[in-house]
Amino acid sequence: MSVMSLPDALLSLEAKIQHLSKTQSSEPLVQLTEAVSALPLISWLASQELYPRIYWHGRDKEEEVAAIGCTCDFFFDDRVADQQLAEVYQRQRSLSYNQSIRYYGGVAFDREVEGWPEFGRARFVLPRIELRRSGKDFRLLLNLNFDGNDRHDECQAALQALKALKRPRPLTPPGKVNVLGRSEYPEYPRWQQLVEQVTAEKFNRHTPKVVLSRLSQLEINDPVDPWMVLACWQGRCPSSFQFGFQFSKDRTFISCSPERLYLRRGQELFTEALAGTTLRGLTQEEDELLAKQLLEDSKNSHENQLVRQHIVENLSPLSHYVGAEESPRIFKLPHIQHLHRAIRAELKPGINDFQLLLALHPTPAVGGLPRPSALSFIRQQEGYNRGWYAGACGYLNRHESEFSVAIRSALIEPGRINLFAGAGIVAGSDPEAEWQELDNKLATILSILVEL
């Protein structure tokens, strides 16, 4: 496939649409594609005026996607059963055998409670236009949906989307925001009460782990470019997933998450236990000492082992084989380091992505154990709506799907930046130390946004 400039690729796609409008396609979902020369994807995305805007960058750095507009939109604002999600996706999946057609989106941390405006309890979008980078290769993709839509109208809508594309322009220069106020939910006295409740022997006997979290709200009057913030965050955390969802100009959810929920390629699945945290050292010697202490720390090792055990147990009924690393390794990030175990499974035939989401999410690393009692405690006691924070965000297609757990994330709204962090509370957890862990996890994003 020859590589075109973006203007030439647009002309080629327009000609293909004109041809499509005069012919009958055998597939209800059609994807047109052209290879294009290299483009800065976040800059291109920030320059567009069509919503939604979606960004995805894999942790392995090989793949990056910027997508705009909507061809199909599955939006679940009310209470939604996982089976409903599966049925909608399976129906859409049956419309095309093209393994390149993807639905991007996410599910909220707790689908039993009201979702965020525009994000809902679950939302998945087949974008109108995508720019995908795989290694050094770039492709421009256009999606059309003739299922239940007038053929001429759908072609015209696609042409209009192409004509509305803007050339990429430089991102807004990074700058610090003026914080008018900061609020914490829960505040420290309430946090201390919650940690003491979870670590009490009577409670801990039936619920050995609850992941408590905190919402830090920054009140601002400066406009904030969420894509500039994500680009800066990306530079600080190159070994994380980086993604963002902007369904309108008013709200953008961005994340630089180190945690993979799962990667599925056909029947092969890769996941991980990521739990247990300490700081990075100021010198190499101090860093190695902190890593050694983390590996030897019984509280953190127990927390990671609980996560590993839960994932293996939940995957086993869906799999022919599940294998997990016996001993944890160190996973390093700019300000902190985690305990990490890799897990691999060979799935049984017919297992779909929503069965995997139901089995794996929320993970014990963001919810707790056992899942029902931990989620019930969070729902009743934490005091704010997590929404897509600690939810599962990623993409689905016929052959390959990947989801990240949306930790280390921010919701940017007019006049407000919402930051989220959590800590696993188990027997022996200290309220003050866990509160400090929340601050450590926010250090990177705060260093981008404000003068420290």
Side-chain angles (χ1 to χ4, degrees):
M1 189 182 289
S2 60
V3 176
M4 298 182 179
S5 67
L6 186 58
D8 287 344
L10 294 177
L11 290 172
S12 177
L13 288 178
E14 287 175 13
K16 289 180 178 181
I17 295 171
Q18 298 287 5
H19 177 71
L20 261 182
S21 67
K22 299 168 186 172
T23 60
Q24 289 299 317
S25 169
S26 59
E27 287 201 359
L29 289 180
V30 174
Q31 186 175 76
L32 306 176
T33 181
E34 294 290 358
V36 295
S37 51
L39 286 167
L41 265 64
I42 287 191
S43 296
W44 178 83
L45 185 65
S47 304
Q48 306 310 314
E49 297 175 355
L50 193 61
Y51 293 95
R53 301 177 188 173
I54 297 167
Y55 180 78
W56 174 263
H57 190 288
R59 193 172 66 182
D60 60 8
K61 307 181 185 66
E62 280 298 302
E63 183 170 75
E64 184 181 12
V65 179
I68 60 170
C70 178
T71 302
C72 301
D73 188 356
F74 309 127
F75 179 46
F76 297 89
D77 200 19
D78 298 322
R79 190 175 185 276
V80 54
D82 292 272
Q83 187 56 37
Q84 290 175 275
L85 283 170
E87 287 170 0
V88 172
Y89 175 66
Q90 291 298 102
R91 179 172 59 81
Q92 285 298 313
R93 179 170 150 149
S94 69
L95 297 177
S96 175
Y97 289 93
N98 185 342
Q99 294 186 356
S100 187
I101 288 178
R102 289 182 180 176
Y103 302 83
Y104 299 88
V107 297
F109 168 75
D110 185 354
R111 295 185 293 286
E112 294 293 315
V113 302
E114 186 178 357
W116 287 343
E118 301 171 13
F119 291 82
R121 305 183 195 212
R123 190 168 187 176
F124 286 89
V125 170
L126 173 62
R128 177 65 77 188
I129 298 169
E130 299 177 56
L131 265 175
R132 288 191 202 167
R133 176 183 67 80
S134 179
K136 296 181 180 179
D137 298 326
F138 290 73
R139 288 189 298 151
L140 180 68
L141 302 102
L142 179 75
N143 297 307
L144 298 99
N145 177 20
F146 298 124
D147 179 43
N149 294 325
D150 180 85
R151 193 173 192 82
H152 177 266
D153 290 348
E154 179 67 1
C155 288
Q156 287 303 308
L159 284 170
Q160 289 173 8
L162 288 178
K163 291 182 184 299
L165 288 183
K166 308 293 183 185
R167 291 179 178 271
R169 57 180 183 268
L171 289 167
T172 309
K176 307 298 184 182
V177 297
N178 180 32
V179 178
L180 305 178
R182 175 172 171 171
S183 304
E184 313 285 359
Y185 303 95
E187 295 181 328
Y188 182 75
R190 176 60 178 157
W191 171 266
Q192 187 173 12
Q193 289 177 356
L194 293 175
V195 173
E196 288 170 354
Q197 283 179 255
V198 172
T199 54
E201 185 179 351
K202 185 177 178 182
F203 182 92
N204 200 253
R205 272 202 301 269
H206 63 77
T207 309
K209 178 179 180 181
V210 176
V211 181
L212 296 176
S213 70
R214 184 183 78 195
L215 163 62
S216 299
Q217 285 189 337
L218 308 182
E219 302 297 332
I220 60 172
N221 58 10
D222 305 312
V224 174
D225 180 354
W227 305 112
M228 176 276 293
V229 176
L230 184 58
C232 293
W233 208 352
Q234 183 179 60
R236 309 277 183 94
C237 301
S239 56
S240 291
F241 292 95
Q242 300 117 26
F243 51 91
F245 292 87
Q246 185 178 28
F247 295 107
S248 78
K249 62 182 176 60
D250 287 336
R251 291 179 184 84
T252 312
F253 180 64
I254 59 174
S255 179
C256 272
S257 172
E259 185 172 356
R260 169 178 283 152
L261 182 65
Y262 71 84
L263 167 65
R264 177 186 63 82
R265 292 192 176 116
Q267 300 306 114
E268 194 171 25
L269 181 131
F270 304 89
T271 183
E272 62 197 20
L274 189 75
T277 308
T278 192
L279 286 168
R280 296 294 305 271
L282 296 176
T283 65
Q284 184 176 343
E285 291 77 12
E286 184 185 15
D287 199 53
E288 290 174 356
L289 177 61
L290 286 166
K292 183 173 182 290
Q293 290 172 343
L294 179 61
L295 286 167
E296 295 172 351
D297 181 74
S298 59
K299 179 259 181 189
N300 281 291
S301 295
H302 175 60
E303 185 181 346
N304 189 274
Q305 177 64 16
L306 285 174
V307 175
R308 172 193 178 276
Q309 181 179 339
H310 170 86
I311 292 171
V312 170
E313 287 176 355
N314 280 30
L315 278 179
S316 292
L318 309 177
S319 309
H320 288 308
Y321 161 85
V322 183
E325 289 183 325
E326 286 298 324
S327 302
R329 303 167 186 250
I330 294 294
F331 188 94
K332 293 183 182 290
L333 294 164
H335 288 92
I336 54 179
Q337 40 194 332
H338 294 290
L339 294 179
H340 174 277
R341 279 182 169 96
I343 300 168
R344 178 187 165 275
E346 194 68 37
L347 299 172
K348 293 176 180 177
I351 298 299
N352 67 53
D353 286 288
F354 286 99
Q355 288 173 280
L356 296 172
L357 284 172
L358 180 61
L360 294 174
H361 182 263
T363 70
V366 294
L369 282 170
R371 185 195 287 177
S373 59
L375 293 189
S376 177
F377 184 86
I378 292 167
R379 193 178 297 137
Q380 296 172 32
Q381 304 294 332
E382 198 167 57
Y384 80 96
N385 184 356
R386 291 191 184 187
W388 278 28
Y389 161 65
C393 293
Y395 67 86
L396 306 152
N397 76 7
R398 294 191 68 87
H399 174 70
E400 180 177 287
S401 305
E402 186 164 30
F403 282 87
S404 173
V405 182
I407 56 176
R408 314 297 140 75
S409 52
L411 176 66
I412 299 174
E413 304 174 287
R416 179 180 296 160
I417 300 172
N418 304 276
L419 305 175
F420 308 92
I425 309 303
V426 296
S429 292
D430 173 66
E432 193 171 341
E434 302 295 348
W435 185 264
Q436 182 59 51
E437 182 177 315
L438 303 181
D439 289 337
N440 295 341
K441 288 175 176 176
L442 292 182
T444 302
I445 183 62
L446 281 173
S447 70
I448 294 166
L449 293 169
V450 302
E451 293 287 354
L452 297 177

